[in-house]
Amino acid sequence: MAAAVPVSLLPTAVGHPPARRTPFCAVSYKRRRTAVTRVSCAAGDQEEEVDDLGVNVALSMLKFYKREISPLLPSSCRYVPTCSEYSMHAYKRYGVAKGTILTAWRLCRCNPLGI
């Protein structure tokens, strides 16, 4: 059975003192009071050309919704950027499959119908 080697005998980098070991419960955490700045990236700001047919179809449906249907409904989105802008960005960045999943997840969290 091997004997325990004291920490001071373990090799360390030249010129550096051996590391101090502190128990996990002795670690203190300081709370910082900082202002949180949220940066929104609206999909309308970036007019990128997308080559994927599915993404173009989804974006055209979202643009139709924003142009024709959204003005008729009361503003009920609780997020900035709005859910439609978020979904446009998600489709451009991740494609149809993951963009649809992210959009559905966002709509479930937003709950625009109040159900």
Side-chain angles (χ1 to χ4, degrees):
M1 182 158 159
V5 178
V7 176
S8 62
L9 297 179
L10 294 176
T12 59
V14 177
H16 294 286
R20 278 183 43 200
R21 293 183 182 230
T22 57
F24 179 72
C25 59
V27 177
S28 63
Y29 295 98
K30 295 181 181 178
R31 289 190 176 191
R32 295 182 188 175
R33 293 188 179 216
T34 58
V36 177
T37 305
R38 294 184 183 219
V39 178
S40 64
C41 178
D45 295 344
Q46 303 169 357
E47 292 297 326
E48 300 172 358
E49 289 295 323
V50 181
D51 293 333
D52 189 14
L53 177 65
V55 172
N56 284 332
V57 169
L59 290 176
S60 64
M61 290 190 322
L62 282 169
K63 287 177 185 176
F64 174 79
Y65 168 78
K66 286 182 71 173
R67 187 179 63 241
E68 301 294 330
I69 299 172
S70 182
L72 301 175
L73 300 174
S75 178
S76 61
C77 189
R78 62 179 77 181
Y79 293 112
V80 173
T82 62
C83 293
S84 57
E85 292 172 353
Y86 174 82
S87 62
M88 290 177 112
H89 183 70
Y91 281 122
K92 286 180 182 179
R93 184 169 182 182
Y94 298 110
V96 178
K98 190 171 181 179
T100 302
I101 292 169
L102 291 172
T103 299
W105 180 248
R106 173 76 173 245
L107 288 173
C108 288
R109 287 182 292 146
C110 180
N111 194 9
L113 301 176
I115 297 175

Coordinates of all heavy atoms in Angstrom, one line a residue, residues 20-110:
R20 N -2.6 26.2 -2.4 CA -3.3 26.1 -1.1 C -4.6 25.3 -1.3 O -5.3 25.6 -2.3 CB -3.6 27.4 -0.5 CG -2.5 28.0 0.3 CD -2.8 29.3 0.9 NE -4.2 29.3 1.5 CZ -4.9 30.4 1.8 NH1 -4.4 31.5 1.6 NH2 -6.0 30.3 2.4
R21 N -4.9 24.4 -0.5 CA -6.1 23.7 -0.6 C -7.1 24.2 0.4 O -6.8 24.3 1.6 CB -5.9 22.2 -0.4 CG -5.1 21.6 -1.5 CD -5.0 20.1 -1.3 NE -4.2 19.5 -2.3 CZ -4.5 18.5 -3.0 NH1 -5.6 17.9 -2.8 NH2 -3.7 18.1 -4.0
T22 N -8.3 24.6 0.0 CA -9.3 25.1 0.9 C -10.5 24.2 0.8 O -10.8 23.7 -0.3 CB -9.7 26.5 0.6 OG1 -10.2 26.6 -0.7 CG2 -8.6 27.5 0.9
P23 N -11.2 23.9 1.8 CA -12.4 23.0 1.7 C -13.4 23.8 0.9 O -13.5 25.0 0.9 CB -12.8 22.8 3.2 CG -12.1 23.8 4.0 CD -10.9 24.2 3.2
F24 N -14.3 23.0 0.3 CA -15.3 23.6 -0.6 C -16.2 24.5 0.1 O -16.6 25.6 -0.4 CB -16.1 22.5 -1.3 CG -17.2 23.0 -2.2 CD1 -16.9 23.6 -3.4 CD2 -18.5 22.9 -1.8 CE1 -17.9 24.1 -4.2 CE2 -19.5 23.4 -2.6 CZ -19.2 24.0 -3.8
C25 N -16.6 24.1 1.4 CA -17.5 25.0 2.1 C -16.9 26.3 2.6 O -17.6 27.2 3.0 CB -18.0 24.2 3.3 SG -16.7 23.7 4.5
A26 N -15.6 26.4 2.5 CA -14.9 27.7 3.0 C -14.9 28.7 1.9 O -14.5 29.8 2.1 CB -13.5 27.4 3.4
V27 N -15.3 28.4 0.7 CA -15.3 29.4 -0.4 C -16.4 30.4 -0.2 O -17.5 30.0 0.0 CB -15.5 28.7 -1.8 CG1 -15.5 29.7 -2.9 CG2 -14.3 27.7 -2.0
S28 N -16.0 31.6 -0.3 CA -17.0 32.7 -0.1 C -17.4 33.3 -1.4 O -16.5 33.5 -2.3 CB -16.5 33.8 0.9 OG -15.4 34.4 0.3
Y29 N -18.6 33.6 -1.6 CA -19.1 34.2 -2.9 C -19.6 35.6 -2.6 O -20.3 35.8 -1.7 CB -20.2 33.3 -3.5 CG -19.8 32.0 -3.9 CD1 -20.0 30.9 -3.1 CD2 -19.1 31.8 -5.1 CE1 -19.6 29.6 -3.5 CE2 -18.7 30.5 -5.5 CZ -19.0 29.5 -4.7 OH -18.5 28.2 -5.1
K30 N -19.1 36.5 -3.4 CA -19.5 37.9 -3.2 C -20.6 38.2 -4.3 O -20.4 37.8 -5.5 CB -18.4 38.8 -3.4 CG -17.3 38.7 -2.3 CD -16.2 39.7 -2.6 CE -15.1 39.5 -1.5 NZ -14.0 40.4 -1.7
R31 N -21.6 38.8 -3.9 CA -22.6 39.2 -4.8 C -22.3 40.5 -5.4 O -21.9 41.5 -4.7 CB -24.0 39.3 -4.2 CG -24.6 38.0 -3.8 CD -26.0 38.2 -3.4 NE -26.6 36.9 -3.1 CZ -27.8 36.7 -2.9 NH1 -28.7 37.7 -3.0 NH2 -28.3 35.5 -2.7
R32 N -22.4 40.6 -6.7 CA -22.1 41.9 -7.4 C -23.3 42.6 -7.8 O -24.3 41.9 -8.2 CB -21.3 41.6 -8.7 CG -19.9 41.0 -8.5 CD -19.2 40.9 -9.8 NE -18.0 40.1 -9.6 CZ -17.3 39.7 -10.6 NH1 -17.6 40.0 -11.8 NH2 -16.1 39.1 -10.4
R33 N -23.4 43.8 -7.6 CA -24.5 44.6 -8.0 C -24.1 45.4 -9.2 O -23.5 46.5 -9.1 CB -24.9 45.5 -6.9 CG -25.5 44.8 -5.7 CD -26.1 45.8 -4.7 NE -26.6 45.0 -3.6 CZ -27.7 45.3 -3.0 NH1 -28.3 46.4 -3.3 NH2 -28.1 44.6 -2.0
T34 N -24.4 44.8 -10.4 CA -24.1 45.5 -11.6 C -25.3 45.6 -12.5 O -26.3 44.9 -12.3 CB -23.1 44.7 -12.4 OG1 -23.6 43.4 -12.7 CG2 -21.8 44.5 -11.7
A35 N -25.3 46.6 -13.3 CA -26.5 46.9 -14.2 C -26.4 45.9 -15.3 O -25.3 45.7 -15.9 CB -26.5 48.3 -14.7
V36 N -27.5 45.3 -15.6 CA -27.5 44.3 -16.7 C -28.0 45.1 -18.0 O -29.0 45.7 -18.0 CB -28.5 43.2 -16.4 CG1 -28.6 42.2 -17.6 CG2 -28.1 42.5 -15.2
T37 N -27.1 45.0 -19.0 CA -27.5 45.6 -20.3 C -27.8 44.5 -21.3 O -27.0 43.6 -21.5 CB -26.3 46.4 -20.8 OG1 -25.8 47.3 -19.8 CG2 -26.6 47.1 -22.1
R38 N -29.0 44.6 -21.8 CA -29.4 43.6 -22.8 C -29.3 44.2 -24.2 O -29.8 45.3 -24.4 CB -30.9 43.2 -22.5 CG -31.0 42.4 -21.2 CD -32.4 42.0 -21.0 NE -32.5 41.4 -19.7 CZ -33.2 40.3 -19.5 NH1 -33.8 39.7 -20.4 NH2 -33.2 39.8 -18.3
V39 N -28.7 43.4 -25.0 CA -28.5 43.8 -26.4 C -29.4 42.9 -27.3 O -29.3 41.7 -27.2 CB -27.0 43.7 -26.8 CG1 -26.9 44.1 -28.3 CG2 -26.1 44.5 -25.9
S40 N -30.2 43.6 -28.0 CA -31.1 42.8 -28.9 C -30.6 42.9 -30.3 O -30.1 43.9 -30.7 CB -32.6 43.3 -28.8 OG -32.6 44.6 -29.3
C41 N -30.8 41.8 -31.0 CA -30.3 41.7 -32.4 C -31.6 41.4 -33.2 O -32.0 40.3 -33.3 CB -29.3 40.6 -32.5 SG -28.8 40.4 -34.2
A42 N -32.2 42.4 -33.7 CA -33.4 42.2 -34.5 C -33.0 41.7 -35.9 O -32.1 42.1 -36.5 CB -34.1 43.6 -34.6
A43 N -33.8 40.8 -36.3 CA -33.6 40.1 -37.6 C -33.8 41.1 -38.8 O -33.3 41.0 -39.9 CB -34.4 38.9 -37.8
G44 N -34.6 42.1 -38.6 CA -34.9 43.1 -39.6 C -33.7 44.0 -39.9 O -33.6 44.6 -41.0
D45 N -32.8 44.1 -39.0 CA -31.6 45.0 -39.2 C -30.6 44.3 -40.2 O -29.9 45.0 -40.8 CB -30.9 45.2 -37.9 CG -31.7 46.0 -36.9 OD1 -32.7 46.6 -37.3 OD2 -31.4 46.0 -35.7
Q46 N -30.6 43.0 -40.2 CA -29.7 42.3 -41.1 C -30.4 41.7 -42.3 O -31.2 40.8 -42.1 CB -29.0 41.2 -40.3 CG -28.3 41.6 -39.0 CD -27.9 40.4 -38.2 OE1 -28.2 39.3 -38.6 NE2 -27.3 40.7 -37.1
E47 N -30.2 42.3 -43.4 CA -30.8 41.8 -44.6 C -29.8 40.8 -45.3 O -29.1 41.2 -46.2 CB -31.2 42.9 -45.6 CG -32.3 43.8 -45.0 CD -33.7 43.0 -44.9 OE1 -33.9 42.1 -45.7 OE2 -34.4 43.3 -43.9
E48 N -29.8 39.6 -44.8 CA -28.9 38.6 -45.3 C -29.6 37.8 -46.4 O -30.8 37.5 -46.2 CB -28.4 37.7 -44.2 CG -27.6 38.4 -43.1 CD -27.4 37.5 -42.0 OE1 -27.8 36.3 -42.0 OE2 -26.7 37.9 -41.0
E49 N -28.9 37.4 -47.4 CA -29.5 36.5 -48.4 C -29.3 35.1 -47.9 O -28.2 34.7 -47.5 CB -28.7 36.7 -49.8 CG -29.1 38.0 -50.4 CD -30.6 38.1 -50.8 OE1 -31.1 37.1 -51.2 OE2 -31.1 39.2 -50.7
V50 N -30.4 34.3 -47.9 CA -30.3 33.0 -47.5 C -30.6 32.1 -48.7 O -31.6 32.4 -49.4 CB -31.4 32.7 -46.4 CG1 -31.3 31.3 -45.9 CG2 -31.1 33.7 -45.2
D51 N -29.8 31.1 -48.9 CA -29.9 30.2 -50.1 C -30.9 29.0 -49.8 O -31.3 28.4 -50.8 CB -28.6 29.6 -50.5 CG -27.7 30.7 -51.0 OD1 -28.2 31.7 -51.5 OD2 -26.4 30.6 -50.9
D52 N -31.2 28.7 -48.6 CA -32.1 27.6 -48.3 C -33.5 27.9 -48.6 O -34.1 28.9 -48.2 CB -31.9 27.2 -46.8 CG -32.6 25.9 -46.4 OD1 -33.0 25.1 -47.4 OD2 -32.7 25.6 -45.2
L53 N -34.2 27.0 -49.4 CA -35.6 27.2 -49.8 C -36.5 27.2 -48.6 O -37.4 28.0 -48.5 CB -36.0 26.2 -50.8 CG -37.5 26.2 -51.3 CD1 -37.7 27.5 -52.0 CD2 -37.8 25.0 -52.1
G54 N -36.3 26.3 -47.6 CA -37.2 26.2 -46.5 C -37.1 27.4 -45.6 O -38.1 27.9 -45.1
V55 N -35.9 28.0 -45.5 CA -35.7 29.2 -44.7 C -36.4 30.4 -45.4 O -37.1 31.2 -44.7 CB -34.2 29.5 -44.4 CG1 -34.0 30.8 -43.8 CG2 -33.6 28.4 -43.6
N56 N -36.3 30.4 -46.7 CA -36.9 31.5 -47.4 C -38.4 31.4 -47.3 O -39.1 32.5 -47.2 CB -36.5 31.5 -48.9 CG -35.1 32.0 -49.1 OD1 -34.6 32.9 -48.3 ND2 -34.4 31.6 -50.1
V57 N -39.0 30.2 -47.3 CA -40.5 30.1 -47.2 C -40.9 30.5 -45.8 O -41.9 31.2 -45.6 CB -40.9 28.6 -47.4 CG1 -42.3 28.3 -47.0 CG2 -40.7 28.3 -48.9
A58 N -40.1 30.1 -44.7 CA -40.5 30.4 -43.4 C -40.4 31.9 -43.2 O -41.2 32.6 -42.5 CB -39.6 29.7 -42.4
L59 N -39.3 32.6 -43.7 CA -39.2 34.0 -43.6 C -40.3 34.8 -44.3 O -40.7 35.8 -43.8 CB -37.8 34.4 -44.1 CG -36.6 34.0 -43.3 CD1 -35.3 34.4 -44.0 CD2 -36.7 34.6 -41.9
S60 N -40.7 34.3 -45.5 CA -41.8 35.0 -46.2 C -43.1 34.8 -45.4 O -43.9 35.8 -45.4 CB -41.9 34.4 -47.6 OG -42.3 33.1 -47.6
M61 N -43.3 33.7 -44.8 CA -44.5 33.6 -43.9 C -44.5 34.5 -42.7 O -45.5 35.1 -42.4 CB -44.7 32.1 -43.5 CG -45.1 31.2 -44.6 SD -45.6 29.5 -44.2 CE -44.6 29.1 -42.8
L62 N -43.3 34.6 -42.1 CA -43.2 35.6 -41.0 C -43.3 37.0 -41.4 O -43.9 37.8 -40.7 CB -41.8 35.4 -40.3 CG -41.7 34.1 -39.4 CD1 -40.3 33.9 -39.0 CD2 -42.5 34.3 -38.2
K63 N -42.8 37.4 -42.6 CA -42.9 38.7 -43.1 C -44.4 39.0 -43.4 O -44.9 40.1 -43.1 CB -42.1 38.9 -44.3 CG -40.6 39.0 -44.0 CD -39.8 39.2 -45.2 CE -38.3 39.1 -44.9 NZ -37.4 39.2 -46.1
F64 N -45.1 38.0 -43.9 CA -46.6 38.2 -44.2 C -47.3 38.4 -42.9 O -48.2 39.3 -42.8 CB -47.1 37.0 -44.9 CG -48.6 37.0 -45.1 CD1 -49.2 37.8 -46.1 CD2 -49.4 36.3 -44.3 CE1 -50.6 37.9 -46.2 CE2 -50.8 36.3 -44.4 CZ -51.4 37.1 -45.4
Y65 N -47.0 37.6 -41.9 CA -47.6 37.8 -40.5 C -47.3 39.1 -40.0 O -48.2 39.8 -39.5 CB -47.1 36.7 -39.6 CG -47.4 36.9 -38.2 CD1 -48.7 36.7 -37.7 CD2 -46.5 37.5 -37.3 CE1 -49.1 36.9 -36.4 CE2 -46.9 37.8 -36.0 CZ -48.1 37.5 -35.5 OH -48.5 37.8 -34.2
K66 N -46.1 39.6 -40.0 CA -45.8 40.9 -39.5 C -46.4 42.1 -40.2 O -46.8 43.1 -39.6 CB -44.2 41.1 -39.5 CG -43.5 40.3 -38.4 CD -42.0 40.6 -38.4 CE -41.8 42.0 -37.9 NZ -40.4 42.3 -37.7
R67 N -46.6 41.9 -41.5 CA -47.2 43.0 -42.4 C -48.7 43.0 -42.3 O -49.3 44.1 -42.3 CB -46.7 42.8 -43.8 CG -47.0 43.9 -44.7 CD -46.5 43.7 -46.1 NE -47.1 42.5 -46.7 CZ -46.4 41.5 -47.2 NH1 -45.1 41.4 -47.0 NH2 -47.0 40.4 -47.7
E68 N -49.3 41.8 -42.3 CA -50.8 41.7 -42.5 C -51.5 41.4 -41.2 O -52.6 42.0 -41.0 CB -51.1 40.7 -43.6 CG -50.5 41.0 -44.9 CD -51.1 42.3 -45.6 OE1 -52.2 42.6 -45.3 OE2 -50.3 42.9 -46.3
I69 N -51.1 40.4 -40.5 CA -51.8 39.9 -39.3 C -51.5 40.6 -38.0 O -52.4 41.0 -37.2 CB -51.6 38.4 -39.2 CG1 -52.1 37.7 -40.5 CG2 -52.3 37.8 -38.0 CD1 -51.8 36.3 -40.6
S70 N -50.2 40.9 -37.8 CA -49.8 41.5 -36.5 C -50.4 42.8 -36.2 O -50.7 43.1 -35.1 CB -48.3 41.5 -36.5 OG -47.8 42.0 -35.3
P71 N -50.6 43.7 -37.2 CA -51.2 45.0 -36.9 C -52.6 44.9 -36.4 O -53.1 45.8 -35.8 CB -51.1 45.8 -38.2 CG -50.0 45.1 -39.0 CD -50.0 43.7 -38.6
L72 N -53.3 43.8 -36.8 CA -54.7 43.6 -36.4 C -54.9 43.1 -35.0 O -55.9 43.3 -34.4 CB -55.4 42.7 -37.3 CG -55.4 43.1 -38.8 CD1 -56.0 42.0 -39.7 CD2 -56.2 44.4 -39.0
L73 N -53.8 42.5 -34.4 CA -53.9 42.0 -33.1 C -53.3 42.9 -32.1 O -52.4 43.7 -32.4 CB -53.1 40.6 -33.1 CG -53.6 39.5 -34.0 CD1 -52.6 38.4 -34.0 CD2 -55.0 39.1 -33.6
P74 N -53.7 42.9 -30.8 CA -53.1 43.7 -29.8 C -51.7 43.2 -29.5 O -51.4 42.0 -29.6 CB -54.0 43.5 -28.6 CG -54.7 42.2 -28.8 CD -54.8 42.1 -30.3
S75 N -50.8 44.1 -29.1 CA -49.5 43.8 -28.7 C -49.4 42.9 -27.4 O -49.8 43.4 -26.4 CB -48.6 45.0 -28.5 OG -47.3 44.7 -28.2
S76 N -49.0 41.7 -27.5 CA -49.1 40.8 -26.4 C -47.7 40.1 -26.1 O -47.7 39.3 -25.2 CB -50.2 39.8 -26.5 OG -49.9 39.0 -27.7
C77 N -46.7 40.4 -26.9 CA -45.4 39.7 -26.7 C -44.7 40.3 -25.5 O -44.6 41.5 -25.4 CB -44.6 39.8 -27.9 SG -43.1 38.8 -27.8
R78 N -44.2 39.5 -24.6 CA -43.5 40.0 -23.4 C -42.0 40.0 -23.5 O -41.4 40.3 -22.6 CB -43.9 39.1 -22.2 CG -43.5 37.7 -22.3 CD -43.9 36.9 -21.1 NE -45.4 36.6 -21.2 CZ -46.0 36.0 -20.2 NH1 -45.4 35.5 -19.2 NH2 -47.3 35.7 -20.4
Y79 N -41.5 39.8 -24.7 CA -40.1 39.8 -24.9 C -39.6 40.9 -25.9 O -40.4 41.3 -26.7 CB -39.6 38.4 -25.4 CG -39.7 37.3 -24.5 CD1 -40.6 36.3 -24.7 CD2 -38.9 37.3 -23.3 CE1 -40.7 35.2 -23.8 CE2 -39.1 36.2 -22.4 CZ -40.0 35.2 -22.7 OH -40.1 34.2 -21.8
V80 N -38.4 41.3 -25.8 CA -37.8 42.2 -26.8 C -36.5 41.5 -27.2 O -35.7 41.2 -26.3 CB -37.4 43.5 -26.1 CG1 -36.7 44.4 -27.1 CG2 -38.7 44.2 -25.7
P81 N -36.3 41.2 -28.4 CA -37.1 41.5 -29.6 C -38.4 40.6 -29.6 O -38.4 39.6 -28.9 CB -36.2 41.1 -30.8 CG -35.2 40.1 -30.2 CD -35.1 40.5 -28.8
T82 N -39.3 41.0 -30.4 CA -40.6 40.3 -30.4 C -40.4 38.8 -30.9 O -39.3 38.5 -31.4 CB -41.6 41.0 -31.3 OG1 -41.1 41.0 -32.6 CG2 -41.9 42.4 -30.8
C83 N -41.4 38.0 -30.6 CA -41.2 36.6 -31.0 C -41.0 36.4 -32.5 O -40.3 35.5 -33.0 CB -42.4 35.8 -30.5 SG -42.6 35.7 -28.8
S84 N -41.7 37.2 -33.3 CA -41.5 37.1 -34.8 C -40.1 37.5 -35.2 O -39.5 36.9 -36.1 CB -42.6 37.9 -35.5 OG -42.5 39.3 -35.1
E85 N -39.6 38.6 -34.6 CA -38.2 39.0 -34.9 C -37.2 37.9 -34.5 O -36.2 37.6 -35.2 CB -37.9 40.3 -34.3 CG -38.6 41.5 -34.9 CD -38.4 42.7 -34.1 OE1 -37.8 42.7 -33.0 OE2 -38.9 43.8 -34.5
Y86 N -37.5 37.3 -33.3 CA -36.6 36.3 -32.8 C -36.6 35.1 -33.7 O -35.6 34.5 -34.0 CB -37.1 35.9 -31.4 CG -36.3 34.7 -30.8 CD1 -35.1 34.8 -30.2 CD2 -36.9 33.4 -30.9 CE1 -34.4 33.7 -29.7 CE2 -36.2 32.3 -30.4 CZ -35.0 32.5 -29.8 OH -34.3 31.4 -29.3
S87 N -37.8 34.7 -34.2 CA -37.9 33.5 -35.1 C -37.2 33.8 -36.4 O -36.6 32.9 -37.0 CB -39.4 33.1 -35.2 OG -40.1 34.1 -35.8
M88 N -37.3 35.0 -36.9 CA -36.6 35.3 -38.2 C -35.1 35.2 -38.0 O -34.4 34.6 -38.8 CB -36.9 36.7 -38.6 CG -38.3 36.9 -39.1 SD -38.7 38.6 -39.5 CE -38.8 38.5 -41.3
H89 N -34.6 35.6 -36.9 CA -33.2 35.5 -36.6 C -32.8 34.0 -36.4 O -31.8 33.6 -36.9 CB -32.8 36.3 -35.3 CG -31.4 36.3 -35.0 ND1 -30.4 36.9 -35.7 CD2 -30.7 35.6 -34.0 CE1 -29.2 36.7 -35.2 NE2 -29.4 35.9 -34.1
A90 N -33.7 33.3 -35.7 CA -33.4 31.8 -35.5 C -33.4 31.1 -36.8 O -32.5 30.2 -37.0 CB -34.4 31.2 -34.6
Y91 N -34.3 31.4 -37.7 CA -34.3 30.7 -39.0 C -33.1 31.0 -39.8 O -32.5 30.2 -40.5 CB -35.6 31.1 -39.8 CG -36.8 30.3 -39.4 CD1 -37.9 31.0 -39.0 CD2 -36.8 28.9 -39.4 CE1 -39.1 30.3 -38.6 CE2 -38.0 28.3 -39.0 CZ -39.1 28.9 -38.6 OH -40.2 28.3 -38.2
K92 N -32.7 32.3 -39.8 CA -31.5 32.7 -40.6 C -30.2 32.1 -40.0 O -29.3 31.7 -40.7 CB -31.3 34.2 -40.5 CG -32.3 34.9 -41.4 CD -32.1 36.4 -41.4 CE -33.1 37.2 -42.2 NZ -32.9 38.6 -42.1
R93 N -30.2 31.9 -38.7 CA -28.9 31.4 -38.1 C -28.8 29.9 -38.0 O -27.8 29.3 -38.2 CB -28.8 32.0 -36.6 CG -27.6 31.6 -36.0 CD -27.4 32.4 -34.7 NE -26.1 32.1 -34.1 CZ -25.7 32.5 -33.0 NH1 -26.4 33.4 -32.3 NH2 -24.5 32.2 -32.5
Y94 N -30.0 29.2 -37.7 CA -29.9 27.8 -37.4 C -30.6 26.9 -38.5 O -30.5 25.7 -38.4 CB -30.6 27.5 -36.1 CG -29.8 28.1 -34.9 CD1 -30.4 29.2 -34.2 CD2 -28.6 27.7 -34.6 CE1 -29.7 29.8 -33.2 CE2 -27.9 28.3 -33.5 CZ -28.5 29.3 -32.8 OH -27.8 29.9 -31.8
G95 N -31.4 27.6 -39.4 CA -32.0 26.7 -40.4 C -33.5 26.4 -40.0 O -34.0 26.9 -39.0
V96 N -34.1 25.6 -40.8 CA -35.6 25.4 -40.6 C -35.8 24.5 -39.4 O -36.7 24.8 -38.6 CB -36.2 24.7 -41.9 CG1 -37.6 24.4 -41.7 CG2 -36.0 25.6 -43.1
A97 N -35.1 23.4 -39.3 CA -35.4 22.4 -38.2 C -35.2 23.1 -36.8 O -36.2 23.1 -36.0 CB -34.6 21.2 -38.3
K98 N -34.0 23.5 -36.5 CA -33.7 24.1 -35.2 C -34.5 25.4 -35.0 O -34.9 25.8 -33.9 CB -32.2 24.2 -35.0 CG -31.9 24.6 -33.6 CD -30.4 24.5 -33.3 CE -30.1 24.9 -31.9 NZ -28.7 24.8 -31.6
G99 N -34.6 26.2 -36.1 CA -35.3 27.5 -36.0 C -36.8 27.3 -35.6 O -37.3 28.0 -34.8
T100 N -37.4 26.2 -36.1 CA -38.8 25.9 -35.8 C -38.9 25.5 -34.3 O -39.8 25.9 -33.6 CB -39.3 24.8 -36.7 OG1 -39.3 25.2 -38.1 CG2 -40.8 24.5 -36.4
I101 N -38.0 24.7 -33.9 CA -38.0 24.2 -32.5 C -37.8 25.4 -31.5 O -38.5 25.6 -30.5 CB -36.9 23.2 -32.2 CG1 -37.3 21.9 -33.0 CG2 -36.7 22.9 -30.8 CD1 -36.2 20.9 -33.0
L102 N -36.8 26.3 -31.9 CA -36.6 27.5 -31.0 C -37.8 28.4 -31.0 O -38.1 29.0 -30.0 CB -35.3 28.2 -31.5 CG -34.0 27.5 -31.3 CD1 -32.8 28.2 -31.9 CD2 -33.7 27.3 -29.8
T103 N -38.4 28.6 -32.2 CA -39.6 29.4 -32.3 C -40.7 28.9 -31.5 O -41.4 29.6 -30.7 CB -40.0 29.6 -33.8 OG1 -38.9 30.2 -34.5 CG2 -41.3 30.4 -33.9
A104 N -41.0 27.6 -31.5 CA -42.0 27.0 -30.8 C -41.8 27.1 -29.3 O -42.7 27.4 -28.5 CB -42.2 25.5 -31.1
W105 N -40.5 26.9 -28.9 CA -40.1 27.1 -27.4 C -40.3 28.5 -27.0 O -40.8 28.7 -25.9 CB -38.7 26.6 -27.2 CG -38.2 26.7 -25.8 CD1 -37.3 27.6 -25.4 CD2 -38.7 26.0 -24.7 NE1 -37.1 27.4 -24.0 CE2 -38.0 26.4 -23.6 CE3 -39.6 25.0 -24.5 CZ2 -38.2 25.9 -22.3 CZ3 -39.8 24.5 -23.3 CH2 -39.1 24.9 -22.2
R106 N -40.0 29.4 -27.8 CA -40.2 30.9 -27.5 C -41.7 31.2 -27.3 O -42.1 31.9 -26.4 CB -39.5 31.7 -28.5 CG -39.8 33.2 -28.4 CD -38.9 33.8 -27.3 NE -39.0 35.3 -27.3 CZ -38.0 36.1 -27.6 NH1 -36.8 35.6 -27.9 NH2 -38.2 37.4 -27.6
L107 N -42.5 30.7 -28.2 CA -43.9 31.0 -28.2 C -44.5 30.3 -26.9 O -45.5 30.9 -26.3 CB -44.6 30.5 -29.4 CG -44.3 31.3 -30.7 CD1 -44.9 30.7 -31.9 CD2 -44.9 32.7 -30.5
C108 N -44.1 29.2 -26.5 CA -44.6 28.5 -25.3 C -44.2 29.3 -24.1 O -45.0 29.5 -23.2 CB -44.0 27.1 -25.2 SG -44.7 25.9 -26.3
R109 N -43.0 29.9 -24.1 CA -42.6 30.8 -22.9 C -43.4 32.1 -22.9 O -43.7 32.7 -21.9 CB -41.1 31.0 -22.9 CG -40.4 29.8 -22.5 CD -38.9 30.0 -22.5 NE -38.4 30.3 -23.8 CZ -37.5 31.1 -24.2 NH1 -36.9 31.8 -23.3 NH2 -37.1 31.3 -25.4
C110 N -43.6 32.7 -24.1 CA -44.2 34.0 -24.2 C -45.7 33.9 -23.9 O -46.3 34.8 -23.3 CB -44.0 34.5 -25.7 SG -44.8 36.1 -25.9

